[in-house]
Amino acid sequence: MRFRLADEVVATGQAAWAARSGAPVRLAEQADAPAGAPVALGPPEAGEERARAAVAELERLVAAGGAVAAGAGVDLGGGFRSARLAGARGEKRDAVLAALRALGPGDAGRLGDRAATTVALFGPAATKRVGAAAARAVAEGRWAAVRFASAASDVLGPEQVERILALEAPAGADPVDGGAPSVLAEHLGRVLAPLPRPRRPAVLTDLWDRVLDGHARQARRERLLATQGRQDRLAELRTRRARFEEELVLPWFPYDARSGRTPLLAAAQWTPSEGYWHAVLHRIVADAQAATVLLRTAVAVGDHGPAVGLAHMEPQLAAAVATTGDAAATRAARRVPGLTGLPARPGSHVRELHRQVLKHGPAKVPYDTQVRPRLARARDYALVVAGEFDRLLHGELPVPEEALHAWAAEGLEGWRRKTGYSPARPPEEWAENPPWALERFGTRDTLAARLRDLRGRGEPAAPRDVEVLGDLLWYADMADALAQLHGHEAAAVTLAGGPLGLDHDPPPAAAPLVPRLDSVSLAVSGAAQLVALGGTAGKGVKTWAGLVDSLRADVDVSEALSGEFPVPPPLAAVDAALVPGTRARFLLARSARTLAEWADYMGNCIATPYYVDAALKGRSALAALLDDKGRILANAELRRARPAERGWVVGELAGRFNDAPDGALEERFRRWVATLPGTAPQEPPAAPGEEAPAAPLRRGRTAPRLVADAGPELARLAQAAWTEQVTARTAAVYAALAATVPAAPAAVRRAGTPADARPGAAAGARGGAGATAALTRLRRLGPASLAHACRGVLADGAVSPADLWAATGVRPLAAAVAALDPALRGRFEQLELLDGAGPLPKALRALVRRPAVAPAYAIGLMGLRVRAALGDLVHADDAALARAVSRRPPAPLLCAAAVAVTCRAPAIPLAAVAEPRAVTVPGFPATGLDDPGGPWQRAFPAARELGADTAAFWDGVAAGGLRVPASWLTSAGWPVLWARAHR
């Protein structure tokens, strides 16, 4: 009997048993069990009882360590050992490690000789000291270090492996988390190969520490949020506060002593007095201060425990009690039938908490009955107060200007003497008030500016003596405390952060193609993806961050994430459909950016150039299978069957970290894919009554059919398109760009390039000749030089933005290809590549070298390159481009640039010209982002030429609205710029 096993070993002279329905079944041949199935190998003459006991032990092993553990050859008793049939993923080290963890240190002897186990885990170079270090790590339960060392043993020496085996992690933390050691080893080999061997351990231990730091921050965030109630009571609190404010209005109404009530007409004619507004505004401030103290107390208790936390916060609790007042706190705590029993104001909770601290002492206050219930709604109270303050800023509270200015000018000296300032927001640096807020509150300057002025004049000034309510630093304190409850150091200034831009829980800033530090496996797989895109680790790097920076320096991120995939209609028809018999949803990838996001979570290779190129060229379709919560279960590559009309086959299917997906899901998915219809090849229809002549038999080397069949007609059409599109103005633009380039060598000038290409000369000459000469000089420039040239012609006014945009949009060869006979285009689909900036196949290179085609190809290629350079200037917020566009903005450039920065959200000052999720763009003429015939949708192709991944456009609109560089807007804002573009 012969069985081929997972580790390429052929077992002969042994029988194999597998478990089916709880009973052992003897296999007659390899095909009697699925590929990779766990089996028990034993003597053929073994009886049923011995086989039953061995299979039962095999099932216990698989239940504890997974099917992979069976491949370790574990002693099952009675002369039986575990094994896996051929076809399983992974290596021997994966099996040994899984079995070792399942068995535990006490039963490790069932794996066989200890030296053999050490070699299986750490390679043939492993020493006895490595084995001893591994044994200590296993005995101490440091499985993450063992897995990491096993994976890293391919790139480290024995002494270096010992350093990895000595790593420690807090109880319950798994910094490696995910993926087989063999997969991690493969990724480490790609990433660390260029590094000198002595530097590798430092990089790996630094990665370990960074991952643990991230785990510690996440654990702290969860611990702090656990101080808050699980049930959302925000809506109830808002209703409770609204009723409370209504009750406070009644005493201000005129009162008729004879009737004992307020006359209806008098109430309707009542105008709130300055005293009423003074009380409303001070309630907002007092509630913000009380909510801030509650939040800080929750953080202190979460970090240090109730005793230390309450003792530290007792002075601030006392200050908040004094601000609200006992009478006001008592009134806010009165119950209202039909409404929540929570007090209307946070000061009530602060007062009760402070009373308990004074009564029992910080160390003896009952936590579950007195502390926890009063801290549990700190977040909700802060959000209610923030909502009230937003109403004030938006003008929904119609406070008279005189009352608002008088309130804003009041100081906070008493409050600051008791509470001080938060280190997260030093008053000397508080300058976040937007100009419109300063104007609304009548504040002449920011707090930081006033302090600088006073100290510059030599006048001693403490911040508490200078700060006023209109500075809004008290509101920022509450936002910071809310952010600290969510595990951040302070609130972040973002576009989505409300009126002052303070976001208390911003999403993590995930730059594209930056490896995630959720786990060692994810980080290394992300770095391996950068290597696949062309990145190389610098030999001098010493830290993980330095390694990632050196890899990203070699990768053009925007190019790697650009490109939208063609989706065949049969697959598009089932996009987002459920796989029959499962709850998994089938989702197609439509852009390289989507693949990068998937790979970032999955830790697999789906975003590498091999898969991206195949998807871009339509050779395959890439998809994900998602569960009902939107988590990715597996990634799949679908290929066309042969012939194509037969349908589709699953080329690759892998789970997270390239693990095998669920067997039942895989089987149902493959069966379903096999039922999807194929695509029949398109053949050009024959002319009626004509029969195409048989092609003559050719011998020897001949010209490619593409050049012979399409070349003459394409040359004729290209010449016609050149004459029509390339004008004297086009030539002037390219000549101006060429004039910024240093003079070419004499040999180049003799070839026909003018030594002095001036815009005026080009404009006076025939357009075609001037453009050809300029293109010859420009084609040798790289991206940085082209960007410098664009900056130069815009800065000195030699070329207007409108002329530059129009000239770079001249594409005569694209027009020629579009004018070709459809049957000819159908035969030679690669002709579509002539409208791109990528490398051309051999046949197309021969085609564009033809004299009649070459100029048309050159000007189109240069247009794409110049637009890519313009995209770099847009994303770098270039001052010359901003000045030129703000003076004479062409609408097509304005739309394309707005789409580009909305998709990419570069780290420059941006101005939102439409609200998040809004599709109507203000200004005259009014436009809609979703109008298929409108300027925004028409700008998508040009935005892609600027480097945008338009697949991210609607996500960008949802996050921050349609945006443009803030430097492009004058003081009059977007409406003026948009109107100027349509003059």
Side-chain angles (χ1 to χ4, degrees):
M1 193 70 64
R2 293 167 56 89
F3 290 96
R4 186 173 297 278
L5 305 180
D7 51 1
E8 300 301 324
V9 172
V10 177
T12 59
Q14 290 184 301
W17 280 264
R20 290 181 185 167
S21 302
V25 175
R26 182 167 177 167
L27 306 182
E29 56 183 14
Q30 187 97 15
D32 287 349
V39 295
L41 293 179
E45 66 276 7
E48 182 177 348
E49 290 302 320
R50 289 171 58 190
R52 184 182 299 276
V55 169
E57 191 62 34
L58 174 67
E59 288 185 298
R60 283 191 288 271
L61 175 66
V62 171
V68 63
V74 176
D75 184 0
L76 302 176
F80 285 81
R81 300 193 74 84
S82 67
R84 292 187 77 187
L85 298 180
R89 298 173 184 259
E91 298 177 359
K92 184 75 171 180
R93 75 176 109 192
D94 304 332
V96 171
L97 187 56
L100 184 60
R101 189 163 189 176
L103 296 173
D107 276 349
R110 293 171 58 187
L111 287 168
D113 180 65
R114 177 176 173 178
T117 301
T118 302
V119 169
L121 288 174
F122 306 107
T127 61
K128 291 184 177 179
R129 292 183 55 176
V130 170
R136 285 194 298 272
V138 169
E140 295 168 4
R142 292 185 286 110
W143 293 104
V146 177
R147 290 175 60 204
F148 195 17
S150 177
S153 61
D154 291 357
V155 295
L156 301 180
E159 295 82 2
Q160 296 171 328
V161 171
E162 290 182 51
R163 288 179 58 182
I164 303 300
L165 284 168
L167 295 174
E168 297 183 358
D174 183 0
V176 180
D177 188 29
S182 60
V183 175
L184 179 56
E186 180 184 355
H187 291 161
L188 284 171
R190 296 178 189 171
V191 173
L192 298 182
L195 280 185
R197 190 177 289 266
R199 292 192 182 274
R200 296 173 185 175
V203 173
L204 294 181
T205 53
D206 182 59
L207 171 60
W208 176 278
D209 292 339
R210 289 174 183 270
V211 171
L212 285 180
D213 285 345
H215 284 200
R217 288 193 296 272
Q218 181 61 26
R220 178 175 181 266
R221 172 187 169 94
E222 293 173 358
R223 185 173 65 251
L224 295 179
L225 290 177
T227 63
Q228 302 302 291
R230 295 182 180 180
Q231 185 179 358
D232 185 5
R233 306 288 293 276
L234 186 58
E236 299 174 43
L237 270 178
R238 283 174 174 156
T239 303
R240 177 74 176 90
R241 182 184 179 88
R243 177 69 67 84
F244 178 75
E245 289 292 330
E246 290 173 2
E247 293 174 355
L248 293 180
V249 172
L250 296 177
W252 294 89
F253 282 163
Y255 182 74
D256 188 345
R258 291 173 299 177
S259 64
R261 60 185 177 85
T262 297
L264 183 60
L265 181 60
Q269 295 175 340
W270 174 70
T271 300
S273 65
E274 185 173 340
Y276 168 77
W277 287 119
H278 181 86
V280 169
L281 296 173
H282 275 281
R283 275 198 299 275
I284 293 176
V285 177
D287 289 351
Q289 292 168 340
T292 300
V293 171
L294 277 182
L295 290 165
R296 289 174 177 174
T297 305
V299 172
V301 168
D303 280 341
H304 307 293
V308 176
L310 291 174
H312 174 71
M313 290 301 301
E314 193 276 332
Q316 294 195 36
L317 290 169
V321 169
T323 300
T324 302
D326 282 341
T330 301
R331 181 169 187 171
R334 291 174 183 167
R335 291 185 173 271
V336 177
L339 298 182
T340 177
L342 293 171
R345 302 181 65 187
S348 302
H349 274 340
V350 173
R351 185 188 65 162
E352 291 304 317
L353 193 58
H354 185 245
R355 289 174 62 181
Q356 293 295 324
V357 171
L358 295 180
K359 178 180 180 180
H360 299 284
K364 296 183 179 180
V365 178
Y367 179 76
D368 288 331
T369 59
Q370 299 297 331
V371 178
R372 183 184 179 91
R374 291 181 171 85
L375 297 181
R377 296 298 158 196
R379 176 177 55 190
D380 293 340
Y381 278 117
L383 294 176
V384 168
V385 175
E388 286 295 298
F389 185 66
D390 286 354
R391 291 180 60 210
L392 172 65
L393 289 181
H394 282 116
E396 296 177 18
L397 293 178
V399 186
E401 184 176 293
E402 296 80 5
L404 190 61
H405 289 185
W407 165 82
E410 296 184 25
L412 289 93
E413 181 183 2
W415 170 257
R416 292 302 184 187
R417 284 186 182 279
K418 297 175 182 177
T419 63
Y421 289 93
S422 166
R425 198 78 61 178
E428 293 81 4
E429 300 175 8
W430 176 240
E432 298 294 344
N433 317 50
W436 61 266
L438 293 174
E439 181 179 354
R440 177 164 175 74
F441 293 112
T443 310
R444 63 183 179 85
D445 211 339
T446 65
L447 176 59
R450 294 201 305 278
L451 286 172
R452 284 196 304 269
D453 290 344
L454 289 172
R455 292 169 182 175
R457 296 197 300 265
E459 300 178 18
R464 65 171 177 261
D465 298 327
V466 179
E467 182 190 0
V468 294
L469 291 172
D471 290 323
L472 308 183
L473 184 53
W474 53 270
Y475 178 81
D477 286 343
M478 185 180 71
D480 288 339
L482 196 55
Q484 289 158 5
L485 183 72
H486 287 78
H488 309 289
E489 293 184 3
V493 179
T494 68
L495 290 174
L500 295 186
L502 297 175
D503 191 344
H504 68 270
D505 192 22
L513 296 180
V514 173
R516 291 170 55 174
L517 292 174
D518 296 4
S519 72
V520 168
S521 298
L522 269 180
V524 175
S525 69
Q529 181 178 331
L530 290 173
V531 172
L533 293 171
T536 303
K539 294 184 178 180
V541 301
K542 300 179 181 179
T543 63
W544 178 255
L547 174 69
V548 171
D549 290 343
S550 65
L551 293 176
R552 283 176 54 84
D554 292 341
V555 177
D556 187 338
V557 176
S558 61
E559 181 180 349
L561 297 180
S562 63
E564 297 187 10
F565 305 149
V567 178
L571 297 183
V574 295
D575 192 17
L578 290 174
V579 177
T582 74
R583 301 189 66 176
R585 191 170 298 278
F586 175 76
L587 186 66
L588 284 168
R590 297 177 181 265
S591 70
R593 180 177 291 273
T594 299
L595 291 187
E597 293 171 355
W598 288 357
D600 187 45
Y601 170 75
M602 295 292 283
N604 58 24
C605 56
I606 194 170
T608 54
Y610 170 81
Y611 292 103
V612 173
D613 291 346
L616 286 172
K617 295 173 182 176
R619 293 200 303 262
S620 66
L622 303 173
L625 300 180
L626 284 69
D627 65 10
D628 50 6
K629 294 183 179 179
R631 290 189 296 258
I632 304 177
L633 301 172
N635 287 129
E637 179 198 26
L638 275 59
R639 299 173 183 166
R640 301 176 190 271
R642 295 185 179 180
E645 55 266 28
R646 290 184 56 188
W648 302 86
V649 296
V650 179
E652 292 284 346
L653 185 67
R656 205 170 187 205
F657 302 106
N658 283 332
D659 287 345
D662 177 74
L665 174 62
E666 179 175 6
E667 180 184 358
R668 292 180 182 274
F669 178 66
R670 289 182 182 275
R671 285 207 308 254
W672 177 63
V673 169
T675 65
L676 300 179
T679 54
Q682 297 181 355
E683 298 182 0
E690 293 185 7
E691 182 177 352
L697 181 64
R698 300 183 179 180
R699 300 181 182 276
R701 296 189 62 182
T702 62
R705 293 188 60 84
L706 171 62
V707 177
D709 294 357
E713 180 66 9
L714 186 66
R716 183 185 67 79
L717 293 171
Q719 283 182 316
W722 174 278
T723 303
E724 179 182 354
Q725 295 186 18
V726 182
T727 64
R729 178 169 290 185
T730 305
V733 170
Y734 281 111
L737 289 171
T740 65
V741 183
V748 177
R749 291 199 297 270
R750 285 196 299 271
T753 304
D756 184 18
R758 294 182 302 275
R766 186 172 178 268
T772 304
L775 292 171
T776 305
R777 174 175 288 190
L778 289 172
R779 68 184 182 185
R780 296 177 175 85
L781 299 185
S785 299
L786 278 177
H788 175 74
C790 293
R791 183 186 301 112
V793 298
L794 291 172
D796 61 17
V799 174
S800 70
D803 286 346
L804 181 60
W805 189 255
T808 56
V810 171
R811 309 289 163 77
L813 191 55
V817 171
L820 277 174
D821 180 58
L824 194 60
R825 291 206 315 270
R827 286 174 56 199
F828 301 113
E829 295 180 353
Q830 61 265 50
L831 286 170
E832 304 296 334
L833 298 176
L834 293 174
D835 195 25
L840 299 178
K842 183 177 180 181
L844 288 182
R845 290 200 302 270
L847 185 63
V848 299
R849 281 196 292 267
R850 288 195 161 200
V853 179
Y857 174 71
I859 198 168
L861 181 62
M862 188 52 61
L864 290 171
R865 291 179 178 175
V866 173
R867 286 200 171 178
L870 280 174
D872 292 340
L873 294 180
V874 170
H875 295 133
D877 200 15
D878 181 74
L881 177 63
R883 285 193 298 271
V885 171
S886 62
R887 290 196 302 265
R888 292 179 288 176
L893 170 57
L894 202 57
C895 292
V899 171
V901 298
T902 300
C903 293
R904 184 170 174 177
I908 61 174
L910 298 177
V913 300
E915 293 295 326
R917 301 186 180 277
V919 295
T920 300
V921 182
F924 182 81
T927 53
L929 296 178
D930 58 348
D931 181 5
W936 303 104
Q937 290 291 318
R938 293 200 308 270
F940 273 38
R944 288 191 285 269
E945 293 174 357
L946 293 178
D949 176 12
T950 51
F953 177 71
W954 292 112
D955 289 340
V957 170
L962 182 71
R963 286 160 281 177
V964 297
S967 59
W968 290 20
L969 302 181
T970 62
S971 58
W974 167 257
V976 171
L977 185 68
W978 184 243
R980 190 177 296 164
H982 289 81
R983 287 177 182 172

